[in-house]
Amino acid sequence: MNEISQKEPGESGLFNRIAVLRAERGISRQELADAVGVNYQTIGFLERGAYGPSLKLAFQIGAFFGLPVEAVFSMEPFKPLSEQVY
């Protein structure tokens, strides 16, 4: 994710950690898309904040990563992990 997407939500009004979670796990957009039943381009739109997921899709993405939906999507910018841990 770039600096702008960390500070400002995309058109959807949501912040998300999808790109970070994919990178941590070595998962491609295509692999995530296949797992949740969408086109890989949809994952790109989600990551950029250009598209807001349906509630069902948000839960599917959370479940894929083994996280609650609020750990993946937020209305507020995510705090850096170092601030959350310490």
Side-chain angles (χ1 to χ4, degrees), residues 37-65:
V38 298
N39 187 289
Y40 78 95
Q41 291 174 320
T42 300
I43 302 301
F45 290 135
L46 288 169
E47 289 178 353
R48 290 188 298 279
Y51 171 74
S54 67
L55 187 56
K56 179 181 177 184
L57 180 56
F59 275 101
Q60 287 175 310
I61 291 170
F64 177 83
F65 289 116

Side-chain angles (χ1 to χ4, degrees), residues 28-39:
S28 70
R29 285 181 178 168
Q30 185 66 61
E31 289 171 314
L32 177 56
D34 290 345
V36 297
V38 298
N39 187 289

Side-chain angles (χ1 to χ4, degrees), residues 2 4 8 10 17 31 37-40 44 49-50 56-57 64 66-67 69 71 76 78 80 82:
N2 60 34
I4 294 171
E8 298 290 329
R17 290 183 167 145
E31 289 171 314
V38 298
N39 187 289
Y40 78 95
K56 179 181 177 184
L57 180 56
F64 177 83
L67 296 169
V69 72
E76 302 292 325
F78 287 103
S82 60

